[in-house]
Amino acid sequence: GQQVMQIPQYQHVQEGEDFTTYCNSSTTLSNIQWYKQRPGGHPVFLIQLVKSGEVKKQKRLTFQFGEAKKNSSLHITATQTTDVGTYFCAGPWVRGNTPLVFGKGTRLSVIA
Amino acid sequence: GAVVSQHPSWVICKSGTSVKIECRSLDFQATTMFWYRQFPKQSLMLMATSNEGSKATYEQGVEKDKFLINHASLTLSTLTVTSAHPEDSSFYICSARYKDGTVQETQYFGPGTRLLVL
């Protein structure tokens, strides 16, 4: 079946180091969305990428959508302890009004 | 921004009882609502898709007679876990989608309901 895969599953970094998580879909996505879930919390919407090759930035976060609309990445520059949490990518397939399918997430821990 | 609420946020119940969880879109009308389940340290798994006024569409492996979904209005959907058992203990999260004027619809999540069945 259709799947969204994310790597790595876990990432431990020293505060100030960079962090990247990668998302790959088995089929073309209509768009890709990124969410952050803090420990004990619920997923919070970060951003949506729609266009092939799109790049968006939010302060220290850079999001990319691949040319084939099957992969995406989230890069955090100079991580801070407030970046701790699990980052999920999610996308609907190119078939109309379909629900989001989530990747397994990347759990980020930042050591001060 | 779009706000989705869930009630209750926490529930502890005895095995065999039924639990109802409410999901409301507070400042918009949701074209569709989704119910997800998340076990500890795992991703969100879609349980069902709910459209107002019609029957919910359940994902494979989700028992529709056990997880009753009622989508009474464009702002309210309920999930009832019938005859709950300890293995139903999980974090249940609803999500509401609305048309934001562009081609793509945006999906917003509620704060979740933690269910513990003893």
Side-chain angles (χ1 to χ4, degrees), chain A residues 9-10 30-31 33 35 37 39-45 48 50 88 92 96-105 107, chain B residues 31-32 34 36 38 40-44 46 49 51 59 91 93 97 100 102 104-112 114:
Chain A
Q9 188 175 0
Y10 300 97
S30 171
N31 64 80
Q33 300 177 28
Y35 292 80
Q37 185 175 23
H42 64 281
V44 174
F45 175 79
Q48 180 186 65
V50 178
F88 293 98
N97 185 23
T98 53
L100 290 175
V101 176
F102 281 78
K104 292 190 181 298
R107 186 184 299 264
Chain B
T31 53
T32 307
F34 306 95
Y36 292 82
Q38 185 180 36
K41 298 184 179 181
Q42 294 188 24
S43 186
L44 284 77
L46 179 67
T49 301
N51 290 294
E59 295 299 299
F91 189 39
I93 309 173
R97 172 182 280 174
D100 63 357
T102 66
Q104 308 298 334
E105 297 184 337
T106 306
Q107 199 166 324
Y108 289 92
F109 287 82
R114 296 194 183 278

Side-chain angles (χ1 to χ4, degrees), chain A residues 5-109:
Chain A
M5 291 158 285
Q6 257 185 280
I7 56 170
Q9 188 175 0
Y10 300 97
Q11 186 80 56
H12 307 282
V13 299
Q14 289 280 346
E15 189 173 23
E17 292 181 340
D18 293 354
F19 159 75
T20 304
T21 173
Y22 300 91
C23 181
N24 288 285
S25 168
S26 57
T27 59
T28 304
L29 296 167
S30 171
N31 64 80
I32 193 146
Q33 300 177 28
W34 285 90
Y35 292 80
K36 177 183 178 181
Q37 185 175 23
R38 293 182 183 275
H42 64 281
V44 174
F45 175 79
L46 293 178
I47 207 161
Q48 180 186 65
L49 303 172
V50 178
K51 299 177 183 177
S52 170
E54 189 171 11
V55 178
K56 286 188 177 181
K57 290 190 176 184
Q58 287 181 351
K59 297 182 180 179
R60 295 179 294 105
L61 278 61
T62 301
F63 303 85
Q64 286 188 303
F65 200 12
E67 293 290 340
K69 300 184 76 171
K70 295 176 72 172
N71 57 72
S72 180
S73 66
L74 158 59
H75 179 82
I76 302 178
T77 304
T79 55
Q80 300 175 358
T81 54
T82 53
D83 296 325
V84 165
T86 301
Y87 293 85
F88 293 98
C89 64
W93 317 116
V94 186
R95 285 188 301 175
N97 185 23
T98 53
L100 290 175
V101 176
F102 281 78
K104 292 190 181 298
T106 297
R107 186 184 299 264
L108 172 66
S109 61

Side-chain angles (χ1 to χ4, degrees), chain B residues 85-101:
Chain B
H85 292 285
E87 57 266 29
D88 299 321
S89 300
S90 187
F91 189 39
Y92 292 86
I93 309 173
C94 74
S95 173
R97 172 182 280 174
Y98 72 106
K99 291 187 184 291
D100 63 357

